Amino acid sequence: MNAGTQKAPKLPFNEEMLKWARNWRGKTLEETAKKFSVDINKIWEWENGVSSPTVRQARGLAKYYDRSFLEFFYDSPPNIHETGLIPDFRVHRGAMNPRESREILAIQHWAEAQRLNALELFEEIDEQPIDFPKDLFATIEDDVENVAIRAREKMSFTILQQKRIPAKDKYDLPKILREKIESLGILVLRNNDLAKHEVSGFCIAEFPLPIIAFCAESPGRQAFTLMHEFAHIVLRESAISSFRNTRKAVTVARKVERWCNKFAAAFLIPESAVDALRFKPNLPSKSFDENILQQLAKTFKVSPHAMMIRLVDLNYIDPDYYWTVKRPQYLEEEQNYKSSGRSKYWASRNVNSLGPTYTSLVLEAWGTGRIPFHIAADYMGLKRPSHLSKIREEFDGN
């Protein structure tokens, strides 16, 4: 056999490490086989020493499992000290299975990595992240109406500005809220994989630069999620959250979730603004006209679900009507919602994931020569550094 046709030598991968990495990441044989377009038996053979993956396949496995390629040569698994999942406040659920825990933890680690990146970028440009206003911190004993009023004042965002958003620009409210939240020293990230686990969002209340992460939902619900997670920051409570609140016996987690829900509703639909409509049914109403509810929701640019919750809070609607009649309907609609707001262009999607604060930090550090081109591309998670110019073009054009 000619030297030019010799096969590359078989690398000494440890099959036990291949199996360990897959289990660590919570992936099944079937999922891995589908990912790499091979028969499931091939994955089994790799993990039992019958055959070995190519270097390219092994590097792909390492990326898929979120592990180092070199670990596949170790004699035994490394000692890993991992931070645990932030508290799960999805009070409608039982305990997470290990696989779900691993998937959500991976998203949490991604978010934490972006925060560390952002803090490094602040150092690169010789600036400090904005300190979250200390006079916005609260407890669940504080009145949500007053805290919501203070939050609007800090954001310089009036209810009149919110109501004047054109109906055709349905995604503008979540975008505006994201920018206003970031103006108070919070990093807001988007990761649509959260939806797979019925997670609307989560927050990590680490200061400076706490994190809010959210996913693709209807614009009205997205706005509610952002303000719900903002409320967790106000309480200094890291949490994984869901929109699916319950009526079960009150626990600490449920008290926190209900306070955050009430805050989000109070922020998006101030009591004074509802009273100003001179809208007074027989209180509390045992039922409610859906057309009126839809119109009210459009007025405040929120979802009918959020509007219903607010009217229940304000004693306009009997709680039983919401819980027994409307809530199941809303949850089904939200479960079936398909986002049509995905940007056509990949660069816009990338910026939407990392947010305006993070993107502007990267572009400033690169534009002022503090970091080179390829490092800036790496901060943005780009496979091709040349794409960075496209991101700057699209970002500057917004």
Side-chain angles (χ1 to χ4, degrees):
M1 184 178 291
N2 295 328
T5 61
Q6 288 181 345
K7 292 184 178 180
K10 179 180 176 181
L11 292 178
F13 295 119
N14 182 348
E15 62 269 18
E16 291 298 325
M17 287 302 300
L18 294 174
K19 183 185 298 184
W20 171 83
R22 177 176 59 77
N23 289 328
W24 179 89
R25 189 61 180 82
K27 297 297 183 181
T28 65
L29 288 170
E30 291 84 354
E31 287 173 323
T32 306
K34 183 178 180 180
K35 172 68 176 179
F36 291 90
S37 302
V38 298
D39 187 271
I40 189 173
N41 291 326
K42 179 61 68 176
I43 306 298
W44 182 90
E45 290 176 359
W46 293 347
E47 294 183 359
N48 287 272
V50 178
S51 63
S52 294
T54 65
V55 172
R56 182 176 180 181
Q57 288 170 327
R59 290 191 182 279
L61 289 170
K63 182 177 180 180
Y64 185 53
Y65 299 152
D66 197 23
R67 300 306 310 170
S68 166
F69 169 71
L70 294 179
E71 288 179 351
F72 292 158
F73 300 94
Y74 288 7
D75 292 331
S76 59
N79 292 322
I80 301 174
H81 176 70
E82 291 187 314
T83 56
L85 266 178
I86 54 181
D88 187 355
F89 279 51
R90 293 173 297 160
V91 294
H92 68 289
R93 296 173 60 89
M96 277 187 288
N97 61 52
R99 173 180 171 167
E100 181 186 35
S101 176
R102 173 60 61 190
E103 294 291 333
I104 298 177
L105 186 60
I107 299 173
Q108 177 185 324
H109 285 171
W110 168 82
E112 290 171 337
Q114 308 320 308
R115 174 177 177 266
L116 293 177
N117 287 345
L119 291 173
E120 288 178 358
L121 287 164
F122 272 113
E123 289 186 8
E124 291 285 357
I125 62 175
D126 297 324
E127 291 186 13
Q128 295 292 326
I130 297 169
D131 285 329
F132 186 80
K134 291 182 173 56
D135 56 349
L136 270 184
F137 288 136
T139 73
I140 58 174
E141 305 304 323
D142 290 319
D143 182 77
V144 293
E145 306 290 338
N146 292 332
V147 180
I149 291 171
R150 294 206 307 270
R152 273 200 180 271
E153 291 172 350
K154 291 292 184 182
M155 293 181 188
S156 299
F157 184 49
T158 68
I159 188 61
L160 184 58
Q161 290 173 306
Q162 178 178 318
K163 291 167 68 175
R164 283 179 174 173
I165 297 172
K168 63 181 179 65
D169 299 325
K170 63 180 183 178
Y171 278 96
D172 274 12
L173 180 56
K175 180 180 178 181
I176 292 169
L177 290 176
R178 185 178 192 178
E179 292 173 351
K180 294 294 185 181
I181 290 170
E182 289 206 330
S183 74
L184 298 183
I186 299 172
L187 186 64
V188 184
L189 306 170
R190 175 167 165 168
N191 191 307
N192 292 340
D193 287 340
L194 289 171
K196 299 176 183 177
H197 309 289
E198 297 187 29
V199 174
S200 292
F202 66 77
C203 79
I204 302 177
E206 294 286 342
F207 300 88
L209 208 61
I211 303 167
I212 286 176
F214 69 108
C215 65
E217 302 174 292
S218 66
R221 182 174 168 186
Q222 209 171 89
F224 194 95
T225 293
L226 286 169
M227 297 319 303
H228 176 102
E229 299 307 325
F230 181 85
H232 275 287
I233 299 295
V234 168
L235 295 177
R236 287 172 279 191
E237 288 272 7
S238 300
I240 299 170
S241 305
S242 169
F243 200 66
R244 298 178 176 229
N245 50 335
T246 75
R247 297 185 85 183
K248 294 180 180 178
V250 175
T251 63
V252 173
R254 289 191 176 93
K255 285 182 179 179
V256 170
E257 283 299 274
R258 290 181 184 181
W259 194 94
C260 292
N261 279 344
K262 288 178 181 293
F263 171 89
F267 182 95
L268 294 168
I269 314 162
E271 183 176 7
S272 59
V274 178
D275 290 341
L277 296 176
R278 291 183 170 81
F279 167 69
K280 292 288 183 182
N282 294 323
L283 305 180
S285 178
K286 298 294 184 182
S287 62
F288 204 80
D289 188 303
E290 185 65 26
N291 292 327
I292 296 177
L293 183 73
Q294 292 284 346
Q295 187 57 50
L296 288 170
K298 288 180 180 179
T299 297
F300 290 97
K301 308 303 183 295
V302 299
S303 68
H305 194 173
M307 193 71 225
M308 175 68 73
I309 289 175
R310 186 57 168 152
L311 293 177
V312 170
D313 284 345
L314 296 176
N315 205 36
Y316 281 74
I317 300 175
D318 190 305
D320 284 336
Y321 177 68
Y322 165 68
W323 287 100
T324 61
V325 178
K326 299 305 294 183
R327 181 173 179 273
Q329 172 191 325
Y330 291 139
L331 293 183
E332 182 178 358
E333 290 173 355
E334 289 159 3
Q335 186 72 29
N336 296 329
Y337 174 79
K338 302 295 182 183
S339 173
S340 58
R342 189 169 187 242
S343 173
K344 179 180 179 181
Y345 301 104
W346 66 267
S348 295
R349 294 197 295 268
N350 189 290
V351 170
N352 197 28
S353 174
L354 295 171
T357 292
Y358 187 99
T359 303
S360 64
L361 283 170
V362 174
L363 294 179
E364 181 176 351
W366 171 43
T368 56
R370 304 300 181 90
I371 59 175
F373 190 79
H374 70 282
I375 296 297
D378 188 57
Y379 271 121
M380 293 300 298
L382 302 175
K383 294 181 180 179
R384 296 182 181 180
S386 59
H387 289 168
L388 187 62
S389 297
K390 180 64 175 177
I391 282 185
R392 180 167 63 181
E393 176 186 329
E394 293 195 7
F395 189 75
D396 291 344
N398 289 335

